[in-house]
């Protein structure tokens, strides 16, 4: 059974750091695209980071570039978040695109392209 589980969310003050983890089971993360999405109530789910584990291609949304970094090892993907801002508040989801598509450096991950989703982890940044 394909499963993704996020962890590492919490509350932090503006300027602080958090690292989110995404643990995959039931399949290998090798050769797939992993997306990180953020959902703020009242807004659409936003694709902020994408990682193609096959070739290392990454995408970062402008509003997280130079503050967030994605890494992976084995069946884990991490999202390292630094210099957090209040607008980073939201529920963070990792998702896997099992179709074989790869991330594009110039195009955000699209919600509809990802078939397997974690349950989400809440990040709250207070100013």
């Amino acid at each position: 059974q394909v499963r993704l589980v996020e962890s590492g969310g919490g509350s932090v003050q503006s300027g602080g750091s958090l690292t989110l983890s995404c643990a995959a089971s039931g399949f290998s993360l090798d050769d797939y695209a992993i997306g990180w999405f953020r959902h703020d109530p009242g807004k659409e789910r936003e694709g902020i980071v994408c990682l193609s584990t096959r070739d290392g291609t990454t995408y970062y949304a402008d509003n997280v570039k130079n503050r967030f970094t994605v890494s992976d090892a084995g069946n884990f993907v991490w999202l390292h978040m630094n210099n957090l801002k209040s607008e980073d508040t939201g529920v963070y989801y990792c998702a896997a695109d099992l179709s074989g598509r790869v991330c594009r450096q110039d195009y955000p991950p699209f919600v509809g392209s990802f078939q397997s989703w974690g349950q989400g982890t809440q990040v709250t940044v207070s100013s």
Side-chain angles (χ1 to χ4, degrees):
Q1 179 182 1
V2 173
R3 190 172 180 221
L4 295 170
V5 178
E6 303 95 338
S7 61
S11 297
V12 64
Q13 288 193 329
S14 181
S17 299
L18 282 174
T19 293
L20 306 183
S21 299
C22 176
S25 60
F27 73 107
S28 172
L29 281 178
D30 292 342
D31 293 332
Y32 295 119
I34 301 298
W36 282 96
F37 296 80
R38 177 169 63 206
H39 187 210
D40 198 8
K43 299 180 181 178
E44 292 187 0
R45 194 169 295 192
E46 177 189 11
I48 56 172
V49 174
C50 192
L51 167 68
S52 289
T53 56
R54 179 189 306 168
D55 61 4
T57 300
T58 55
Y59 165 87
Y60 293 94
D62 287 343
N63 56 7
V64 305
K65 199 173 292 183
N66 299 320
R67 298 189 299 119
F68 290 13
T69 304
V70 64
S71 63
D72 72 299
N75 256 26
F76 289 85
V77 178
W78 293 275
L79 184 64
H80 309 278
M81 307 186 296
N82 296 311
N83 190 21
L84 283 161
K85 305 176 181 181
S86 56
E87 51 263 42
D88 294 320
T89 294
V91 179
Y92 284 71
Y93 298 88
C94 67
D97 180 353
L98 305 178
S99 70
R101 281 183 291 254
V102 297
C103 302
R104 288 177 52 180
Q105 289 182 322
D106 58 349
Y107 201 78
F110 174 56
V111 169
S113 297
F114 290 76
Q115 302 82 28
S116 181
W117 291 79
Q119 82 289 353
T121 185
Q122 175 71 44
V123 171
T124 302
V125 184
S126 57
S127 56

